[in-house]
Amino acid sequence: MIPLTYDFHIHTCLSPCADDDMTPANIVMMAALKGLDVIAITDHNTCRNCKAAIEIGKKNNILVLPGMELTTSEEVHVICLFAELEDAMMFDSYVYERLIKVKNKESIFGNQLVVDEDELVLEREEYLLINATTIGFSDVYNVVTAYHGVMIPAHIDKSSNSVISNLGFLPPDSRFSCVELTKLENRDLFIPNNPYLQKCRAILDSDAHNLGQISEPVHVLSASMKNATAVLIALEGLESSPT
């Protein structure tokens, strides 16, 4: 097993709430500057900036996982990570078909930019990506695993857009095995009312919307090797909490 410093929750300029300079190139270079081993690109309800980040990562020894921060019909945020870009893009299409379509107002919500490796703007997404989809939280696990991905409920200790804040509890019939926290010590606070949490592994991410927010190399995941498949296996079967 090898230790990998990570940040699995980073938004690019395709998320309207992120800075325009959160391009794939800038994100990967900042991750390299900070000394991270592996990151994930997780824009709201889309994976379309993952390809550029993956290619830039290969040139800079940064493993980049394609991912998404899905918004369920209950407005619960869920991190969805994939080993293969092809699977992520098929999931992207599935989610986009179920996105509640409202035109984006850039002056209010911000730009939604698809860019390439050279930071050339390829597309401006017209529909607001921070909207909910019609996918229910109880359906996410089956959908994500059908595309060979891993489901991780996002920032479950936050007071908004988390499974606990929006549903009131972690469903006891859940099948995910990893959750994201903003503070590791909050895990024990939620266990009395959410016993399912005892079965879950915990990760800590930045949820970065600007370059300065990307994590320092302080959170560590042990994996058999530095590749996407090994990282997803480690996330699902991690025996101890990250440091």
Side-chain angles (χ1 to χ4, degrees):
M1 303 295 283
I2 59 174
L4 299 173
T5 55
Y6 70 85
D7 188 346
F8 295 122
H9 192 165
I10 300 176
H11 294 268
T12 78
C13 51
L14 186 49
S15 292
C17 42
D19 289 354
D20 285 352
D21 64 358
M22 287 291 278
T23 62
N26 282 344
I27 290 169
V28 172
M29 296 311 295
M30 180 60 77
L33 182 65
K34 291 194 171 188
L36 292 172
D37 295 308
V38 54
I39 64 172
I41 299 301
T42 54
D43 284 309
H44 289 289
N45 294 320
T46 184
C47 301
R48 279 175 285 166
N49 269 348
C50 292
K51 182 178 184 295
I54 290 170
E55 294 304 316
I56 299 166
K58 291 176 181 177
K59 299 173 184 176
N60 292 275
N61 197 33
I62 302 292
L63 175 62
V64 180
L65 301 186
M68 174 191 296
E69 184 171 24
L70 171 69
T71 305
T72 72
S73 58
E74 304 92 346
E75 299 196 2
V76 174
H77 288 179
V78 180
I79 297 299
C80 306
L81 302 180
F82 303 87
E84 301 293 337
L85 179 62
E86 182 179 2
D87 289 328
M89 296 313 299
M90 288 192 292
F91 181 69
D92 175 282
S93 297
Y94 178 92
V95 171
Y96 192 75
E97 290 177 0
R98 291 157 179 80
L99 176 70
I100 297 174
K101 302 297 196 297
V102 175
K103 289 291 184 71
N104 181 34
K105 295 182 179 180
E106 294 182 346
S107 61
I108 297 174
F109 299 108
N111 296 317
Q112 300 183 143
L113 307 175
V114 180
V115 299
D116 65 10
E117 296 176 48
D118 299 316
E119 302 190 324
L120 176 67
V121 176
L122 303 177
E123 180 185 354
R124 288 177 178 266
E125 170 54 45
E126 64 175 320
Y127 292 114
L128 187 62
L129 291 170
I130 57 174
N131 268 3
T133 67
T134 59
I135 304 168
F137 183 83
S138 62
D139 297 321
V140 175
Y141 181 86
N142 285 340
V143 173
V144 174
T145 55
Y147 292 99
H148 311 110
V150 172
M151 169 191 180
I152 304 173
H155 42 65
I156 66 165
D157 51 343
K158 286 184 64 174
S159 60
S160 61
N161 297 119
S162 75
V163 58
I164 293 177
S165 67
N166 287 33
L167 300 186
F169 60 97
L170 285 177
D173 59 348
S174 297
R175 285 183 285 170
F176 53 82
S177 60
C178 184
V179 296
E180 180 191 66
L181 292 163
T182 63
K183 295 181 180 179
L184 192 58
E185 56 267 29
N186 287 346
R187 182 178 183 273
D188 291 339
L189 299 177
F190 286 95
I191 285 178
N193 293 323
N194 299 277
Y196 185 81
L197 190 55
Q198 292 180 303
K199 304 177 183 180
C200 298
R201 293 76 176 174
I203 59 171
L204 304 171
D205 296 311
S206 69
D207 192 7
H209 288 72
N210 63 61
L211 292 169
Q213 291 176 339
I214 294 172
S215 290
E216 300 293 331
V218 293
H219 309 311
V220 179
L221 180 75
S222 293
S224 61
M225 59 185 67
K226 186 180 177 181
N227 66 39
T229 298
V231 168
L232 292 191
I233 290 172
L235 283 170
E236 289 194 297
L238 189 62
E239 294 182 356
S240 59
S241 298
T243 57

